[in-house]
Amino acid sequence: MASRKIEVVEKKNLVSPPVAVIISVLFPGLGHVLIRKLNRGLLIMASIGTIIGLFLWRIDLLAHRETDFISQYLKALSRKGFFIGFITLAIVILWLWVARDTYLHATRKKKGGFALFAFILVMFFAIGWQISEIDLKKAVTKFPDAWPPLSKILWPWEAAFTRATEELSASTEILIGSEDQGPPPIPVEEPGKPYLRSTPNFGKLSSLDENNNVIKGTILHLTGKNFKPNTLTQIWWFDALGNEFRPRQDGKYTSVTTDDKGNFEYDLVMPYRLIPPSAEGKILNKVEARQVTEVGSLIPADPLKLTFSLIIETIFMGMMATFFGIILSIPISFLAARNIMKGSWVTMLIYFITRTVLNIIRSIEPLIWALIAVVWVGLGPFAGIVALTVHSIAALGKLYSEAIEGIDHGPIEAIQATGANWLQTIMFAVIPQMIPPFVSFSIYRWDINVRMSTVIGLVGGGGIGFLLVQYIRLLDYKAAGIAVWFIALTVSILDYVSAEIRNRFV
Amino acid sequence: MLEVKNLTKIYNDGTVALDDVSFTVEDGEFLVIIGLSGSGKSTLLRCINRLIDPTEGQIIWDGKDVTSVKGAQLRNLRRQVGMIFQHFNLVNRSSVMNNVLSGRLGYVDPWKSLLYKFSPEDRKKAMESLQMVGIEDQALKRADELSGGQQQRVGIARALMQNPKMILADEPVASLDPVLAHTILGYLEKLNLERNITVMCSLHYLDLVQRYGTRVIGLRDGKLVWEGDNNAIKKMSDAEFKNIYGEEAERVSAGSLTGGEV
């Protein structure tokens, strides 16, 4: 080989150093271009242009009522002094720095240099900080607000278990109106059974006058017997339609504690209740004394039971979606494998179309597919499965097709050379190469699908997310916490299991 | 006897890989094919067991025209011809045993074989083949756990399972160091001498060519440019050598190694 001399040709500047500096001051970056530092110059131009553009936009947002630039700038400065001042100063420094950089490069005293761009990056961070409304102070000072729900989510287990309750109650009927309408009979006392009577057992409900002042109703003297001793007893009111509610007296729910013998006396003001205009004749309400006590050992509470059943639903949603995804993506993956499809232009066209469609489907998040699926098949786990299946087909189709493309042709040739037929060649040379990536990708996908199905419920796709979003909207943070814990537990177990399985195969 | 008559192969993209090549190989010969990369050696070997279909010409083996057979007849031809590859072409994730047993595929019941079921005789034969190449203790390992030299021995054992009358070896030692090269070629020579298996082998190092070949053909740009016996290659002149390998070629030696098993 003929040896070649490497000639280093110094390209001459188009302008002298002082001129380059002046041009740089007038138009930052142009000076660099004229001394043949094209990339550096263009990068400086683009950076400064972007910074100034963003800066002007922020000023305009801060003071959009002002008309001319000066007053806009001053208004913005008064509102966000630190930010506006800092960026203004930084732009001035940058301007001078670019001029100096032009001079150093023009006189060949310097090559490269990243400090200038590090400075530009700092400016972008400052602007980004302002644009994205980062407020660390708020994050710290407002944290106590977040603590009550957060602590409930972090430790929700009081809500996970409960005890069976035993209810002890007795009631008596109250006539709304005067005695001459015929008050209801007084209940008969039976030994050993809770008993409640009211004196009188008729009267007027509380009502409002024209000025919305409360006119107190009749005071009922309640006598309770044969209840559990020393236990809080709630007083409930049933209106004529059977709706029950707890009346309040002085802002507190009415309740009374029984004495050592299980008896109590209580004065109840008849509560405020509108009587339906259609009501005719005798209107009977009911007052009830009720003791609710916990008995027996701890049993799982509803949130725990619901969470558990929905976690199972979630895991199976992920599994079914993966199953359908695998079944449907295997044939598609062959259409998307270049080495299979390179035969003719028709097959290549199919290859390109398949690839493009898969890429488009894959780039749409499962959550968005779920929104579409909910419209398609209605709320519930099936919508979630449809959404995850669609996304799985696209993702697995791509992964499988790449596995097919990556197949080693050598063993195929070797097995053919032994006199094996087509099926034997597939079984001995192709399948052994395909199984590990297929299994690995499928398990990985199952992992992803279960993780996705925990959030797909947020948009109505069934599974645990459905429950979680309900609890959060009801502000039931403890129940939500139970769901969150179960999601975390399931996902991490699955993560571990799928990693183990994949390790064995790859 | 193998007769190659006017063999020509033109690939779809227009590349002429073989251009009117004719020669004969007697049974029991150790024929070495030399030539630059891309000179058509691999194509020639693959035409003989029809992994590649020749464009023109004939290959006649034991009086039968190889170029025209199809289907079951073709598989019957292939199973009598063992093949060894530069990159071993083992199924990496299968066990050594399964790789060796796959050499039996042309003989066994196709349906049974699909479930990887082989008769005890075949398994015994596989162990014997592995013993012959000295790696019977590796039988249960995965093929890719073995070193390059061991993998090529698995390749030989696989070819042996075919009870081959002929072995085609496509640069069997090009991926191995010179010491292993002698070991591998030693096995091929042993099979050639003891079992009278015809060997067609492409090689690069002239030392190895001189040591193992009973006859040599040289290819250049798909044309047969040299043919001679072992004596002739030992006396090959620089001019002849350059005719095969081109003007820029120098004689490459496999080092100061002497032949024989290592």
Side-chain angles (χ1 to χ4, degrees), chain A residues 408-425 427-429 432-433 436-437 504-506, chain B residues 46 49 51 75 78-79 81 83 85 89-91 93-94 102-103 105-106 108 110-111 113-114 116 118 158 162:
Chain A
D408 181 6
H409 191 254
I412 298 175
E413 196 178 36
I415 297 295
Q416 278 178 338
T418 65
N421 65 22
W422 183 80
L423 217 55
Q424 286 173 319
T425 309
M427 204 59 202
F428 276 78
Q433 291 192 63
R504 302 269 158 93
F505 271 93
V506 181
Chain B
R46 280 168 174 72
N49 67 352
L51 286 175
R75 292 200 293 275
R78 278 178 179 168
R79 72 179 190 186
V81 182
M83 192 156 190
F85 302 86
N89 288 3
L90 302 180
V91 180
R93 291 175 202 275
S94 295
S102 68
L105 288 174
V108 297
W111 296 109
S113 73
L114 290 183
Y116 285 70
F118 289 91
R158 177 171 65 191
Q162 296 175 239

Side-chain angles (χ1 to χ4, degrees), chain A residues 255-296:
Chain A
S255 59
V256 60
T257 307
T258 48
D259 63 14
D260 288 342
K261 289 174 185 153
N263 302 334
F264 68 84
E265 307 270 325
Y266 188 75
D267 285 331
L268 176 74
V269 179
M270 283 177 70
Y272 170 74
R273 200 71 182 163
L274 282 175
I275 294 166
S278 58
E280 277 173 19
K282 234 160 91 168
I283 299 169
L284 285 177
N285 280 15
K286 197 166 77 172
V287 64
E288 183 178 286
R290 191 187 288 174
Q291 284 183 329
V292 180
T293 45
E294 289 183 335
V295 290

Side-chain angles (χ1 to χ4, degrees), chain B residues 124-185:
Chain B
K124 201 171 150 231
K125 190 175 166 62
M127 280 312 284
E128 283 165 8
S129 302
L130 284 171
Q131 255 159 17
M132 195 250 149
V133 291
I135 48 164
E136 67 274 19
D137 51 335
Q138 312 284 338
L140 298 177
K141 282 193 179 170
R142 259 170 63 153
D144 57 1
E145 289 174 29
L146 269 52
S147 69
Q150 287 173 324
Q151 291 195 22
Q152 193 56 293
R153 292 188 218 190
V154 177
I156 294 173
R158 177 171 65 191
L160 275 179
M161 293 297 283
Q162 296 175 239
N163 289 335
K165 289 185 187 157
M166 177 159 63
I167 288 181
L168 307 173
D170 184 15
E171 302 194 19
V173 296
S175 311
L176 303 173
D177 63 50
V179 181
L180 284 169
H182 277 298
T183 316
I184 297 298
L185 288 172

Side-chain angles (χ1 to χ4, degrees), chain B residues 192-205:
Chain B
N192 176 244
L193 296 174
E194 290 178 4
R195 304 195 189 180
N196 202 33
I197 297 172
T198 311
V199 176
M200 283 180 75
C201 175
S202 56
L203 284 177
H204 269 311
Y205 293 113

Side-chain angles (χ1 to χ4, degrees), chain A residues 313 317 370 374 378-385 453 455-463 466:
Chain A
E313 183 181 298
M317 266 171 67
V374 164
L379 290 168
F382 185 52
I385 291 173
S453 58
V455 293
I456 220 137
L458 299 181
V459 295
F466 204 44

